[in-house]
């Protein structure tokens, strides 16, 4: 070991938490640790949340058949998806409509974000998950920034940097702090042979060369292939399955899965195009996008019913260079964020500053439009523009060789000896510009600008500065935040009308990159676009590659010694953790896991529960949960878990885990209800009325039963003949923080008011509570549940003390043991598993 230390802590968890902080919070990080704890005793290894170890991944990737995957688009998202799919044994056809690969990704200059990376550690830059996510959410205000997508982006960011840096050999060793960021986390490559290396071009060309040299038998690149249609089938229930693509209006290529990675619509100026449709006010605005950015993939997805999000959210990059030799050209070269990140300041034609140069892109762009005059030259009247000035210190920080590319080769900067020369070029009074720089010098010394609230000053510029450079910049269409709705597995979603749930994925269709919506909200945080391409491109690639299985049943049922149906332990990966209600349920979370294949289903019965296994602090932990998803739901299984100490060690493990974390799961026993076309069966007997008694998180199996019942009513040939209030629920909790899925309960009641009702009781109600108070009593059962009968079934689930009290209450009312099912009594979990 490089170092050995004795840590005095009360528990192994406290020691591990301290060492975890040393992983990202200090200049010289702990790269790995082996913690020996006398309590147990046990040995604890460092584990990075969301990062799968090699053996788990290899075991998981042995469970599927080889697939044929089509990737549409060859930018960073498309190439990341293709490589990851090939690594998961797929054969990949990469279709590109242009003559060369790269797309807008190749034009990116600012860099790629990541927190907790080895580059940050080497540069002494501490960063945190909560800061990265806060910055992303703050930037996205005004649009839809999906929590699960942002958490996935965040937790996979360091792994994305590691993949590019160490697997693909891209030297992401330079850090910068862009506008809207709380830390230096945007990674770039150093100059090569004294010349700048555009980061987007470097990444895409490196991946392309890797594909051509090392993946030439697994990945086939076809340029000049314009995908014009997604080939798909629709079954009797309206479920869509994509089976291939149509190319150039005629040729059909069949595939097991299709990934859309075609980018946005930032250069779409057509009369019938997406910009005209969603942001007609931006028609004619300058753009930094290539001519190919027409929104092709968005239209392909929309053609098969994919939901579109935030299509009116278009980002104007505040600094597109105005070429003084061709000012009217609508396509602008991007002035990298790093120019302002190195200390470049913005002034208007009067020589006055007007904005914090490191604020969000949307803020800086709006400030230029509101505080600057139009560009005029020889009769041409253009958009509002600002002057960007760099001192010699800022030039060095940005990189003289990089600057030389824009200044000498492109002619986008003018050189000025001093402030007087700057004033003359701008056409402003020298006294005003000098006063502006004097104020800036004072603000930098104080660490705060009163005018703009700027608090980070990367370099200095004063009235005495010499050897300056200056450029003309204007806001330009740079990025389209809107696009196709995806889930954290990259699966394309369509909006549907359903009793429970409002979305359904389109089978075999995935998307990643700028073609999607829901990650960036109203305004993308600089540096997150390349990161999104790598993170969701790789996720979509693996998910598409693992789509074929010999058996689409995840849990193959086995008979145990005592006659119960169980299954072998199988690996599952954490997809996302969500809140259980918009208003209540602060103490609970819904945890969703990916089944190995996107088309797999659990194969369990309604009411059957699962065992979950994971490791924390050197201990193997088990938990037992009833799924809230239906057994026929494809690709996912969801459970309800407490998020506080009452949930025990397994709940703590779930809270600490991140998307991509691997758990092991097996099917157990439990209630087994069968919903046939016109009847409900329990142990072969038809059930006419069901009563549900839920305590706390015992609501989980009831949600699954409700979902199944909702579909039963929907598909019943004569729903009007169903008994009134066939399904009844009493839901008991300690506080409102324990209430889960209240919105779903209300929605189901509103959808089928004649068949379903529910009643809630709280032991510690808040002020203003109007429903039941206290414990469940005899009159609650009589008035809100069901009466004893041979065709009646009461299902109860909750803490053992709750179920014990409910069983005694039911027996006193007149129920017998054949008329109820108790999870605590029925399966003897503790002795069997």
């Amino acid at each position: 070991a490089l170092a050995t230390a004795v840590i005095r802590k009360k528990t192994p968890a406290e020691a591990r938490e301290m060492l975890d902080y040393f992983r990202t919070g200090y200049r010289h990080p702990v790269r790995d640790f082996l913690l020996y704890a006398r309590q147990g005793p046990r040995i604890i290894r460092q584990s990075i949340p969301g990062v799968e170890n090699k053996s788990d991944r290899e075991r998981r990737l042995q469970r599927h058949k080889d697939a044929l995957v089509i990737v549409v688009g060859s930018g960073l998202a498309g190439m990341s998806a293709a490589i990851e799919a090939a690594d998961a044994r797929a054969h990949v056809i990469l279709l590109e409509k242009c003559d060369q690969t790269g797309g807008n990704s190749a034009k990116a200059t600012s860099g790629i974000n990541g927190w907790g990376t080895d580059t940050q550690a080497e540069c002494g830059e501490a960063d945190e998950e909560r800061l990265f996510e806060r910055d992303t959410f703050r930037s996205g205000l005004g649009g839809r920034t999906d929590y699960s997508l942002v958490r996935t982006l965040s937790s996979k960011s360091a792994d994305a940097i590691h993949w590019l840096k160490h697997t693909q050999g891209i030297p992401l060793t330079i850090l910068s702090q862009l506008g809207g960021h709380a830390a230096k986390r945007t990674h770039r490559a150093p100059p090569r042979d004294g010349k700048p290396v555009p980061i987007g071009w470097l990444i895409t060309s490196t991946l392309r060369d890797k594909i051509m040299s090392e993946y030439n038998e697994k990945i086939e690149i076809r340029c000049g292939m314009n995908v014009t249609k997604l080939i798909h089938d629709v079954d009797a229930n309206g479920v869509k399955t994509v089976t291939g693509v149509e190319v150039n209006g005629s040729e059909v290529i069949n595939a097991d899965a299709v990934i859309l990675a075609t980018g946005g619509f930032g250069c779409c100026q057509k009369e019938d195009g997406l910009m005209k449709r969603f942001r007609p006010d931006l028609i004619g605005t300058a753009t930094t996008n290539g001519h190919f950015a027409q929104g092709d993939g968005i239209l392909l997805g929309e053609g098969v019913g994919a939901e579109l999000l935030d299509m009116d959210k278009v980002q104007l990059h505040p600094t597109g260079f105005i070429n003084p030799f061709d000012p009217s050209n609508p396509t602008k070269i991007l002035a990298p964020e790093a120019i302002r990140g190195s200390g470049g300041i913005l002034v208007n034609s009067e020589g006055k500053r007007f904005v914090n140069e490191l604020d969000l892109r949307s803020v800086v762009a709006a400030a230029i439009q509101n505080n600057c005059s139009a560009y005029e030259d020889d009769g041409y009247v253009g958009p509002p523009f600002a002057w960007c000035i760099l001192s010699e210190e800022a030039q060095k920080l940005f990189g003289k060789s990089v600057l030389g590319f824009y200044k000498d080769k492109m002619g986008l900067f003018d050189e000025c000896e001093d402030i007087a020369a700057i004033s003359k070029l701008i056409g402003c009074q020298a006294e005003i510009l000098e006063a502006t720089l004097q104020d800036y010098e004072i603000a930098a010394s104080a660490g705060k600008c009163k005018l703009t609230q700027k608090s980070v000053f990367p370099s200095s510029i004063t009235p005495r500065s010499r050897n300056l450079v200056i450029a003309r910049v204007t806001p330009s269409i740079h990025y389209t935040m809107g696009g196709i709705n995806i889930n954290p597995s990259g699966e394309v979603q369509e909006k549907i009308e359903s009793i429970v749930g409002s979305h359904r994925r389109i089978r075999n269709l995935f998307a990643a990159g700028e073609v999607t919506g829901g990650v960036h909200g109203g305004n993308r945080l600089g540096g997150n676009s390349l990161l999104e391409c790598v993170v969701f491109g790789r996720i979509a690639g693996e998910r598409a590659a693992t789509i074929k299985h010999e058996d689409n049943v995840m849990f193959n049922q086995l008979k145990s010694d005592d006659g119960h149906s169980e299954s072998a332990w199988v690996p599952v990966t954490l997809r996302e953790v969500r809140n259980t209600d918009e208003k209540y349920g602060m103490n609970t979370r819904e945890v969703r896991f990916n089944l190995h294949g996107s088309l797999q289903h659990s194969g369990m019965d309604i009411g059957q529960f699962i065992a979950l296994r994971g490791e924390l602090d050197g201990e193997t932990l088990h938990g037992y949960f009833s799924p809230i998803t239906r057994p026929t739901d494809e690709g996912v299984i969801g459970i309800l878990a407490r998020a506080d100490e009452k949930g025990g060690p397994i709940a703590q493990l779930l809270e600490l885990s991140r998307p991509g974390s691997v758990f092991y799961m097996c099917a157990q026993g439990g209630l087994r209800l069968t919903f046939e076309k016109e009847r409900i069966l329990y142990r072969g007997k038809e059930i006419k009325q069901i009563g549900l008694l839920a305590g706390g998180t015992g609501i989980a199996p009831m949600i699954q039963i409700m979902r199944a019942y909702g579909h039963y009513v929907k598909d019943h040939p004569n729903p009007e003949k169903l008994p009134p209030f066939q399904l009844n629920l009493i839901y008991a909790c300690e506080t409102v923080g324990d209430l889960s899925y209240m919105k779903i309960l209300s929605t189901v009641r509103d959808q089928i008011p004649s068949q379903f009702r529910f009643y809630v009781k709280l032991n510690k109600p808040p002020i203003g509570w109007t429903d039941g108070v206290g414990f469940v009593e005899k009159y609650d059962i009589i008035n809100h549940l069901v009466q004893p009968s041979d065709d009646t079934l009461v299902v109860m689930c909750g803490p053992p003390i709750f179920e014990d009290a409910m069983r005694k209450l039911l027996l006193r009312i007149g129920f017998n043991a054949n008329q109820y099912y108790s999870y605590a009594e029925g399966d003897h979990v503790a002795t069997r598993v």
Side-chain angles (χ1 to χ4, degrees):
L2 288 176
T4 303
V6 176
I7 302 171
R8 185 176 179 181
K9 294 288 183 181
K10 290 184 178 180
T11 66
E14 290 178 357
R16 185 257 309 154
E17 289 169 3
M18 187 193 78
L19 290 172
D20 277 344
Y21 185 71
F22 274 87
R23 183 171 60 86
T24 60
Y26 291 92
R27 178 167 185 172
H28 299 293
V30 172
R31 300 299 179 92
D32 197 4
F33 65 75
L34 190 68
L35 177 64
Y36 175 79
R38 286 185 295 179
Q39 186 183 101
R42 70 187 76 160
I43 295 176
I44 303 167
R45 290 297 303 260
Q46 176 175 284
S47 176
I48 302 175
V51 176
E52 186 176 12
N53 66 51
K54 185 177 179 180
S55 60
D56 279 339
R57 176 177 169 80
E58 289 176 350
R59 178 181 176 185
R60 188 169 56 78
L61 292 182
Q62 293 173 356
R63 303 177 62 84
H64 62 274
K65 298 167 62 178
D66 296 356
L68 174 60
V69 176
I70 288 176
V71 179
V72 186
S74 67
L76 181 54
M79 285 194 275
S80 298
I83 290 173
E84 197 71 13
D87 285 342
R89 304 202 320 272
H91 178 73
V92 181
I93 301 176
L94 186 61
L95 302 177
E96 170 56 53
K97 72 175 182 179
C98 297
D99 295 332
Q100 59 185 12
T101 61
N104 272 334
S105 300
K107 295 162 67 71
T109 56
S110 294
I112 176 170
N113 293 335
W115 73 269
T117 68
D118 57 3
T119 300
Q120 283 185 315
E122 291 159 5
C123 295
E125 186 70 19
D127 202 359
E128 297 181 59
E129 173 184 74
R130 58 183 179 175
L131 294 177
F132 178 91
E133 294 180 3
R134 187 278 313 275
D135 293 346
T136 300
F137 281 117
R138 178 186 286 172
S139 181
L141 289 173
R144 176 168 171 177
T145 311
D146 184 270
Y147 174 84
S148 294
L149 296 181
V150 172
R151 173 52 59 88
T152 301
L153 186 76
S154 169
S155 64
K156 294 292 184 182
S157 66
D159 187 48
I161 299 296
H162 186 276
W163 183 74
L164 291 173
K165 187 175 176 180
H166 299 288
T167 303
Q168 310 305 331
I170 300 168
L172 299 174
T173 58
I174 303 298
L175 285 178
S176 61
Q177 183 171 348
L178 305 187
H181 289 263
K184 290 183 178 180
R185 62 168 71 103
T186 306
H187 298 65
R188 290 184 289 121
R192 182 181 295 171
D193 299 326
K195 298 180 181 179
V197 181
I199 188 61
W201 174 86
L202 175 63
I203 293 175
T204 54
S205 61
T206 300
L207 295 189
R208 181 197 62 220
D209 293 345
K210 191 90 172 260
I211 290 172
M212 300 296 288
S213 62
E214 299 182 22
Y215 290 86
N216 56 318
E217 294 184 0
K218 294 182 177 181
I219 302 173
E220 179 184 356
I221 299 178
R222 300 184 189 177
C223 291
M225 304 290 279
N226 184 28
V227 175
T228 49
K229 185 189 296 184
L230 293 175
I231 309 302
H232 67 287
D233 300 324
V234 184
D235 68 14
N237 295 316
V239 177
K240 297 163 185 156
T241 303
V242 170
T243 59
V245 299
E246 178 190 86
V247 180
N248 298 330
S250 56
E251 181 185 357
V252 173
I253 306 176
N254 295 317
D256 297 305
V258 174
I259 303 172
L260 298 176
T262 55
F265 56 98
C267 198
C268 183
Q269 297 283 314
K270 298 180 291 188
E271 270 301 311
D272 60 346
L274 292 171
M275 193 68 73
K276 179 73 172 180
R277 183 169 147 198
F278 293 102
R279 284 299 300 273
D281 58 304
L282 294 179
I283 294 295
T285 303
T287 181
T288 63
N289 286 250
H291 64 88
F292 41 76
Q294 301 292 323
D296 300 337
I298 296 174
L299 293 171
L300 289 172
E302 187 181 35
V304 294
E307 183 185 24
L308 305 185
L309 303 173
D310 284 342
M311 291 297 290
D312 62 329
K313 304 300 186 294
V314 177
Q315 183 181 72
L316 296 181
H317 195 289
T319 54
F321 281 119
I322 295 177
N323 188 335
F325 305 104
D326 188 15
S328 63
N329 191 329
T331 301
K332 306 299 182 187
I333 295 173
L334 181 69
E337 202 102 18
I339 289 178
R340 288 174 287 121
S342 299
I345 66 166
L346 299 176
V347 300
N348 60 22
S349 295
E350 297 177 5
K352 298 178 179 179
R353 286 184 66 244
F354 52 87
V355 70
N356 172 5
E357 290 84 0
L358 298 182
D359 211 326
L360 296 173
R361 289 175 173 180
S362 56
V363 174
V364 180
I368 293 175
Q369 292 175 323
N370 295 330
N371 294 276
C372 298
S373 57
Y375 185 90
E376 298 184 30
D377 180 61
D378 195 23
Y380 166 72
V381 179
F385 80 107
W387 296 90
C388 182
I389 308 172
L390 278 75
S391 67
E392 191 165 26
E393 184 182 349
Q395 295 170 51
K396 290 179 180 178
L397 191 58
F398 178 64
K400 284 291 188 76
S401 58
V402 181
L403 181 66
F405 170 80
Y406 295 105
K407 178 171 66 70
D408 302 326
K409 186 174 182 178
M410 305 300 296
L412 299 172
F413 278 93
D414 289 284
E415 294 181 284
C416 294
E417 183 178 351
D418 53 22
I419 299 303
I422 292 278
S423 302
K424 184 176 179 180
L425 181 62
I426 292 176
C428 69
Q429 296 180 31
E431 295 80 7
I432 293 178
L433 182 57
E434 288 177 2
T436 294
L437 297 181
Q438 182 67 48
D439 290 342
Y440 189 80
E441 182 181 16
I442 294 171
S445 177
K448 186 78 170 183
C449 174
K450 294 180 180 179
L451 173 67
T452 65
Q453 307 306 309
K454 187 173 185 175
S455 59
V456 176
F457 299 86
S459 59
S460 66
I461 183 170
T462 75
R464 303 171 299 283
S465 295
R466 302 181 65 82
N467 301 322
L468 306 107
V469 294
I470 184 170
R472 306 148 186 88
V473 294
T474 186
S476 306
I477 295 173
H478 182 56
Y479 194 88
T480 49
M481 277 72 69
I484 294 171
N485 184 8
I486 60 168
N487 63 24
S489 293
E491 298 166 342
V492 172
Q493 307 290 294
E494 67 171 329
K495 196 169 180 62
I496 61 170
E497 291 185 5
S498 176
I499 291 179
V500 176
S502 57
H503 290 86
R504 177 175 60 201
R505 63 187 179 74
I506 298 173
R507 302 172 89 231
N508 303 352
L509 183 61
F510 305 83
E514 194 177 352
V515 72
T516 68
V519 177
H520 307 296
N523 180 54
R524 178 178 61 82
L525 187 66
N528 270 357
S529 58
L530 294 182
L531 176 62
E532 173 193 29
C533 289
V534 176
V535 168
F536 289 103
R538 294 180 68 200
I539 288 173
E542 184 188 292
R543 200 71 176 142
T546 57
I547 203 162
K548 288 182 68 177
H549 289 261
E550 291 285 354
D551 187 351
N552 274 334
V553 176
M554 181 73 171
F555 300 107
N556 292 306
Q557 302 293 307
L558 306 170
K559 289 290 185 181
S560 62
D561 294 339
D562 59 1
H564 289 87
S565 291
E566 298 179 345
S567 72
W569 291 97
V570 295
V572 293
T573 55
L574 180 65
R575 172 191 289 190
E576 59 184 317
V577 178
R578 287 189 171 272
N579 295 328
T580 57
D581 197 80
E582 295 177 357
K583 185 178 180 181
Y584 304 108
M586 292 75 75
N587 300 330
T588 60
R589 299 288 186 271
E590 180 179 323
V591 186
R592 298 178 186 177
F593 298 90
N594 277 334
L595 302 183
H596 183 57
S598 182
L599 301 183
Q600 282 189 315
H601 56 90
S602 71
M604 298 166 65
D605 294 320
I606 298 293
Q608 194 175 357
F609 65 90
I610 59 96
L612 187 69
R613 188 180 77 199
E615 185 173 303
L616 178 65
D617 296 335
E619 284 189 295
T620 298
L621 305 176
H622 291 85
Y624 307 97
F625 302 90
S626 292
I628 59 168
T629 45
R630 292 188 303 151
T632 53
D633 288 343
E634 292 183 330
V636 65
I637 187 167
I639 63 173
L640 174 64
R642 290 198 69 95
D644 56 14
E645 66 281 355
K646 292 182 180 179
I650 192 72
Q652 183 186 11
L653 174 59
L654 290 170
E655 280 290 294
L656 292 172
S657 299
R658 293 294 180 265
S661 295
V662 176
F663 288 77
Y664 285 83
M665 187 179 288
C666 70
Q668 298 291 298
L671 173 72
R672 298 171 186 274
L673 280 178
T674 303
F675 287 83
E676 295 185 345
K677 189 173 182 180
E678 296 187 50
R679 60 179 187 163
I680 305 170
L681 300 179
Y682 173 62
R683 293 178 178 174
K685 183 176 66 174
E686 183 174 1
I687 300 299
K688 294 293 183 64
Q689 246 189 339
I690 301 175
L692 308 175
L693 277 170
T697 53
I699 191 66
M702 315 313 180
I703 294 295
Q704 187 187 60
I705 293 169
M706 286 166 46
R707 294 188 67 208
Y709 181 75
H711 285 272
Y712 169 75
V713 174
K714 178 184 174 183
D715 299 334
H716 198 283
N718 300 296
E720 68 281 355
K721 294 184 179 180
L722 291 172
F725 298 123
Q726 192 172 20
L727 188 65
N728 309 267
L729 167 68
I730 294 178
Y731 184 18
C733 286
E734 189 73 5
T735 68
V736 292
D738 301 327
L739 289 174
S740 305
Y741 302 116
M742 290 296 290
K743 184 176 180 180
I744 288 180
L745 297 180
S746 298
T747 299
V748 174
R749 180 187 58 196
D750 295 342
Q751 292 281 339
I752 49 174
S754 299
Q755 282 82 35
F756 173 70
R757 61 179 177 174
F758 72 94
Y759 181 64
V760 178
K761 297 203 75 173
L762 289 181
N763 191 38
K764 297 178 181 178
I767 295 175
W769 180 257
T770 59
D771 230 330
V773 173
F775 298 107
V776 177
E777 305 289 351
K778 176 179 178 180
Y779 61 84
D780 296 316
I781 303 292
I782 295 172
N783 294 328
H784 301 288
L785 208 63
V786 294
Q787 300 297 316
S789 171
D790 288 339
D791 55 10
T792 292
L793 175 66
V794 175
V795 181
M796 64 187 79
C797 186
I801 191 172
F802 169 82
E803 292 195 39
D804 184 60
M806 293 303 99
R807 286 195 301 270
K808 293 175 180 177
L809 185 58
L810 290 176
L811 293 172
R812 288 203 303 270
I813 293 173
F815 287 86
N816 62 52
N818 294 321
Q819 294 168 346
Y820 68 79
Y821 178 85
S822 166
Y823 275 85
E825 184 182 59
D827 284 277
H828 310 294
V829 175
T831 57
R832 267 198 320 109
V833 182

